[in-house]
Amino acid sequence: MQKRRIAIADVAFETLLFNRRALFAFGFILLCFGILIANLYNLQVLRYEEYSTRADGNRIKLVPLSPNRGMIFDRRGTLLAENAPVHSIELVPEQVPDLAATVEQIAAIIEITPEQKADFFKEVKAQRRFKSIALKELLTEQEVARLAVHLHKLKGVTLEARLTRHYPYGDLLTHGLGYIGKINDKEFKQIEENGQSPNYAATRDIGKIGIEKYYEAQLHGTVGFQEVEVNNRGRVIRTLREQPAVSGDDLYLTLDLGLQLKAQEALGENRGAIVALDPRTGGILAFYSNPSYDPNLFVHGISGKNYRMLLNSPDRPLVNRMTQGVYPPASTVKPLMAVAGLEAGIVTEHTRVPDPGFYRLPKVSRPWRDHIKWGHGYVDVYTGIIKSCDTYFYDLAYKMGVDRISDFMQKAGYGHLSGIDIGEETSGLMPSREWKKVRRKQNWGPGDTINIGIGQGYWQSTPLQIALTTSTLINDGARITPRLGESFRNAEQQTSLLKPLEQVIEVINPQNWAIAREAMYRTVQEGGTAHGAFIGVPYTAGGKTGTAQVINIAAGVKYKASNISERHRDNALFVGYAPHDKPEIVISVIVENVASGGGGTNAAPVARQLMDYYFSPQYNEPQLPDRATVQKMQAERAAAMMVREQRYAEEAAREKAAKELAAQKTSESKAAPPVAPAPANTEVSSDNVPARSQPQNAAPVIDTPEPEDLPAPQLDEEGQQQGQQQNSGNNATGTQSGGRL
């Protein structure tokens, strides 16, 4: 039997092995603790501020506070644009599990139209997902109550109450005040580029047009914020700190609401425009374009149907006729033409020109007729203005030449932006030799010159320009800058927005201004073209009538409104001022497409009504309608507009059907086989003649182009007319071989 061997332990080796393992373990533990301590140092010391901020970000949130928009008042303190409370149902897309399903849940509680749904999802795509987006605004009390009951089941959905813009006088002031609307992508990018995005963090609306847009920065105010503590579900636990928003400054306008109401009443259902201003300061007293529209429709997003109706209406209510409507100024330019002629030495106060009822250029047989076919006899500068004698000004313009006329009228204000504090303005057109060469690729002819001598031809102006240039005449060559805004006011200060006069025309003989004003004064007296409208006035006034022809009428053809399409009839103009010795008010009136008469019959009586109101005790103690009456008036005008638009749609449908029928008949006629001529001495039976819708030699149906498509008038060097003109503005305007009052 073999003996078992006894193993002898190697104590030294085992001790060494143990020590090595213990040392390795201890080192590993020290390394782990070192890493832990280093991380703790990094987190608690080095990156303390970063993680503290992130922790606070989870616990503390900044909630932007929207500033109240500054309110707008008229010159007497009547509120024209206010902030009214409204409720809306809003969703935060990133907090809603299923956006489409949630919208359908809300639609089951309150009425949500397909258009509102489409607009909402379009907004979702355009905005950031953490921003709250309104599904429906202007909720009724019943809708708010129904939603409040179900709100706990709708995650990410809130009922919001906020102040939004409201215009209590509706369409009365739209083209002056403008309106606000939701910020679109283009506007948002512009805000970011200007570095203003923080100030719009809580703002959804921005000024779109008019005063609201021009003075957006002052009206908007400064954003505020709340620093609130929230729990892990995002609910607010408490408010830690608050910096209130600073409201926008209140804006006081130069507009007088009573005079504005009178302007609306005086213009009635006629298409046209009225501008009344103070020639001493440039303050706009009345600013009305008809037809107009309710700006409240745009504040919360106008429906597609309503917008298409406004956009496609032949009455063009969206156009601000005071600053965007371009018309030939017609005879309203004659006082300034007289000053230019006197100053140039072409005529004197006593120069007399024979007027046989027409005017002929040298070596041109075609006459330019006066509005009175038997003429005015011998005419001086006074009679030329008082009786609105075209022949006198044909001759004056021909002798002056286009260069001197254009230069003088541009200094007075034609062909330039006025500087009014709204953005919607066109400069009109003061034609010149260079303009025609560049734009028309043609030389300027003497026929062009005599046409602009009576404010016709290529000349285009706005009603505001006519008022401003007349103010320049009143102020002896000093031009005013028109202003709707009078001053901004807050708790601390008042900032005036009016600008001083600017001398733009220096004359050799200042008496020339007085001659033109004296002629305008006599125009409203007995025998003048505006006399009938100003019989019995208790104040002194001056003025000038005008009639702008919309389409060209051939020489020898008498104008008769009943034979012309309504929108091709004459426009009636008047510009006047009062009192004569120290003018306080200038009024420019345009009435489009009048059925009969001219400026003295249609436009001057409108100005008379405004002047009567201005100089009456009621102007200083106005009796304004209450809100219920205003709302009733708005509803009546809106209903009348709907009736007109329906009539326009029916007329358009009938015209389209008639054109299609005529085209069909023409097509059938062309497609019919030719009829062979009957043999000689052969009796032709009616049974052998093929049926056709019209005679074989019938003229083709021609689709007459709209006014905008007609060519502009061209006159060659001998003054022969080659075409006819239509206006590119809100109403067709044109060139005429002779003018009327």
Side-chain angles (χ1 to χ4, degrees):
M1 182 175 177
Q2 191 176 2
K3 285 186 177 181
R4 297 179 58 185
R5 299 180 67 177
I6 299 173
I8 299 175
D10 189 344
V11 177
F13 177 77
E14 290 179 354
T15 301
L16 180 62
L17 182 63
F18 174 80
N19 290 338
R20 287 177 178 174
R21 290 177 177 176
L23 184 62
F24 177 79
F26 182 71
F28 180 75
I29 292 171
L30 283 178
L31 178 63
C32 290
F33 271 100
I35 293 173
L36 179 61
I37 292 170
N39 278 333
L40 287 174
Y41 180 79
N42 180 55
L43 294 173
Q44 298 292 335
V45 179
L46 298 180
R47 303 181 67 182
Y48 169 78
E49 292 185 1
E50 177 186 348
Y51 285 103
S52 176
T53 302
R54 291 175 64 178
D56 286 341
N58 293 330
R59 180 179 65 90
I60 301 172
K61 287 190 175 182
L62 288 178
V63 179
L65 301 177
S66 177
N68 291 334
R69 194 171 181 86
M71 293 185 287
I72 303 177
F73 302 84
D74 83 335
R75 66 190 298 119
R76 303 184 189 281
T78 304
L79 189 59
L80 305 180
E82 62 185 358
N83 299 319
V86 295
H87 288 85
S88 60
I89 183 73
E90 302 185 4
L91 296 83
V92 181
E94 71 174 6
Q95 297 178 6
V96 179
D98 189 337
L99 207 57
T102 303
V103 169
E104 293 304 322
Q105 282 183 271
I106 297 172
I109 301 171
I110 62 172
E111 181 183 2
I112 306 292
T113 65
E115 190 172 17
Q116 288 171 331
K117 293 179 184 178
D119 290 342
F120 171 76
F121 285 111
K122 181 180 178 181
E123 192 76 11
V124 168
K125 293 179 181 178
Q127 298 291 344
R128 297 171 182 175
R129 291 188 61 80
F130 59 81
K131 293 193 70 173
S132 182
I133 300 173
L135 174 60
K136 184 178 182 179
E137 297 180 320
L138 293 176
L139 298 175
T140 64
E141 293 182 1
Q142 292 78 8
E143 289 175 330
V144 171
R146 286 201 295 270
L147 286 168
V149 174
H150 298 87
L151 204 59
H152 67 283
K153 298 183 293 184
L154 302 171
K155 188 176 180 181
V157 181
T158 58
L159 272 173
E160 298 292 338
R162 60 189 179 91
L163 295 176
T164 190
R165 211 50 148 184
H166 180 254
Y167 304 97
Y169 290 93
D171 64 351
L172 178 66
L173 300 152
T174 302
H175 293 104
L177 292 184
Y179 55 82
I180 67 169
K182 292 181 180 179
I183 300 175
N184 57 36
D185 293 341
K186 182 179 179 181
E187 291 162 340
F188 185 76
K189 289 179 182 177
Q190 187 174 1
I191 288 171
E192 286 189 325
E193 290 173 359
N194 295 337
Q196 298 175 332
S197 53
N199 199 36
Y200 282 80
T203 304
R204 302 179 182 182
D205 301 319
I206 194 170
K208 296 289 186 177
I209 64 170
I211 284 290
E212 292 279 23
K213 180 179 181 180
Y214 193 90
Y215 292 115
E216 168 66 24
Q218 297 94 322
L219 290 169
H220 177 264
T222 305
V223 69
F225 67 86
Q226 274 186 339
E227 194 175 81
V228 298
E229 185 177 1
V230 297
N231 60 17
N232 61 343
R233 295 187 177 182
R235 291 182 177 274
V236 176
I237 300 174
R238 57 175 175 156
T239 300
L240 302 177
R241 188 162 64 96
E242 179 175 338
Q243 179 175 316
V246 179
S247 298
D249 293 341
D250 292 337
L251 175 59
Y252 283 74
L253 304 183
T254 59
L255 279 173
D256 183 89
L257 183 60
L259 197 64
Q260 186 80 359
L261 285 165
K262 179 58 67 172
Q264 185 180 65
E265 175 189 336
L267 204 52
E269 295 299 318
N270 297 307
R271 294 185 296 274
I274 297 175
V275 176
L277 55 82
D278 187 336
R280 300 165 296 182
T281 65
I284 303 291
L285 303 174
F287 198 69
Y288 184 66
S289 174
N290 193 60
S292 184
Y293 59 96
D294 187 357
N296 294 301
L297 295 172
F298 286 85
V299 174
H300 302 285
I302 189 170
S303 68
K305 177 183 177 183
N306 287 335
Y307 184 67
R308 285 190 296 273
M309 182 189 73
L310 293 174
L311 187 64
N312 298 327
S313 171
D315 286 342
R316 305 187 72 177
L318 294 175
V319 174
N320 183 345
R321 282 168 162 80
M322 286 86 65
T323 58
Q324 293 177 305
V326 287
Y327 311 79
S331 296
T332 60
V333 304
K334 289 176 179 177
L336 271 174
M337 282 289 299
V339 174
L342 291 165
E343 186 63 19
I346 304 299
V347 294
T348 68
E349 183 179 0
H350 306 291
T351 300
R352 302 176 71 198
V353 175
D355 173 21
F358 60 88
Y359 179 80
R360 281 195 176 97
L361 286 168
K363 300 180 182 180
V364 177
S365 60
R366 174 188 178 278
W368 273 259
R369 63 177 181 268
D370 198 292
H371 66 90
I372 295 180
K373 62 182 180 180
W374 52 84
H376 293 89
Y378 281 88
V379 181
D380 61 11
V381 65
Y382 292 105
T383 306
I385 294 173
I386 296 167
K387 298 293 186 179
S388 198
C389 175
D390 290 336
T391 300
Y392 181 90
F393 288 96
Y394 288 145
D395 183 69
L396 177 60
Y398 177 70
K399 292 175 179 177
M400 283 185 65
V402 63
D403 297 326
R404 281 192 284 199
I405 295 174
S406 181
D407 180 65
F408 187 89
M409 293 302 173
Q410 288 192 55
K411 288 180 180 178
Y414 285 110
H416 298 287
L417 297 176
S418 68
I420 190 173
D421 46 356
I422 59 174
E424 302 75 47
E425 184 182 15
T426 181
S427 62
L429 173 62
M430 185 64 241
S432 65
R433 193 182 305 276
E434 293 75 16
W435 170 85
K436 188 176 182 183
K437 190 71 174 178
V438 172
R439 296 297 300 272
R440 301 284 182 177
K441 310 299 181 185
Q442 294 175 341
N443 293 325
W444 187 272
D448 297 325
T449 302
I450 66 171
N451 270 338
I452 68 169
I454 61 167
Q456 298 269 173
Y458 298 107
W459 197 341
Q460 294 179 347
S461 63
T462 66
L464 178 60
Q465 284 179 337
I466 295 173
L468 291 177
T469 52
T470 301
S471 298
T472 301
L473 188 154
I474 290 170
N475 292 322
D476 291 348
R479 189 165 62 203
I480 56 176
T481 301
R483 279 288 180 266
L484 283 163
E486 179 186 56
S487 62
F488 274 106
R489 303 180 190 179
N490 55 31
E492 300 177 356
Q493 63 180 357
Q494 176 175 334
T495 306
S496 176
L497 300 171
L498 299 176
K499 294 190 175 183
L501 293 174
E502 176 189 6
Q503 192 71 34
V504 292
I505 301 177
E506 298 286 351
V507 296
I508 299 173
N509 183 5
Q511 182 62 23
N512 293 333
W513 299 111
I515 291 172
R517 289 196 296 270
E518 176 65 20
M520 294 178 74
Y521 169 68
R522 296 184 191 178
T523 300
V524 302
Q525 304 304 309
E526 185 173 357
T529 57
H531 169 65
F534 285 86
I535 296 175
V537 294
Y539 48 85
T540 59
K544 184 68 192 79
T545 59
T547 303
Q549 297 182 193
V550 172
I551 58 173
N552 183 67
I553 298 176
V557 177
K558 186 177 181 181
Y559 172 86
K560 190 174 182 181
S562 59
N563 295 337
I564 300 175
S565 170
E566 178 193 353
R567 296 183 187 275
H568 291 170
R569 294 172 183 169
D570 289 350
N571 296 327
L573 299 88
F574 177 80
V575 61
Y577 63 89
H580 171 60
D581 52 348
K582 293 182 179 179
E584 299 176 16
I585 185 172
V586 172
I587 299 178
S588 171
V589 178
I590 286 185
V591 182
E592 295 179 9
N593 309 130
V594 295
S596 61
T601 306
N602 297 278
V606 173
R608 160 76 186 270
Q609 292 183 55
L610 269 71
M611 288 185 182
D612 285 352
Y613 177 85
Y614 180 83
F615 291 107
S616 71
Q618 189 179 359
Y619 178 75
N620 295 316
E621 298 179 1
Q623 298 177 355
L624 302 175
D626 56 27
R627 293 210 171 186
T629 304
V630 170
Q631 291 176 358
K632 181 180 178 182
M633 291 166 58
Q634 291 178 14
E636 290 174 351
R637 285 196 296 273
M641 175 181 282
M642 292 297 294
V643 171
R644 286 198 305 271
E645 294 304 322
Q646 182 64 31
R647 186 177 73 250
Y648 295 151
E650 292 173 355
E651 290 174 355
R654 285 196 296 268
E655 290 177 4
K656 182 179 179 181
K659 289 179 180 179
E660 290 177 349
L661 179 60
Q664 181 181 359
K665 289 181 178 180
T666 303
S667 176
E668 292 175 355
S669 175
K670 290 180 179 179
V675 180
N681 302 322
T682 302
E683 184 177 353
V684 180
S685 170
S686 61
D687 295 336
N688 297 328
V689 179
R692 52 186 182 266
S693 58
Q694 55 180 313
Q696 200 171 13
N697 60 350
V701 176
I702 300 175
D703 187 7
T704 304
E706 292 299 317
E708 290 77 10
D709 298 327
L710 294 178
Q714 306 298 332
L715 294 167
D716 60 16
E717 294 297 337
E718 295 181 353
Q720 298 300 319
Q721 188 173 9
Q722 299 176 347
Q724 52 187 349
Q725 176 189 23
Q726 297 297 334
N727 177 28
S728 60
N730 67 334
N731 183 44
T733 61
T735 297
Q736 180 70 309
S737 58
R740 294 190 297 283
L741 298 186

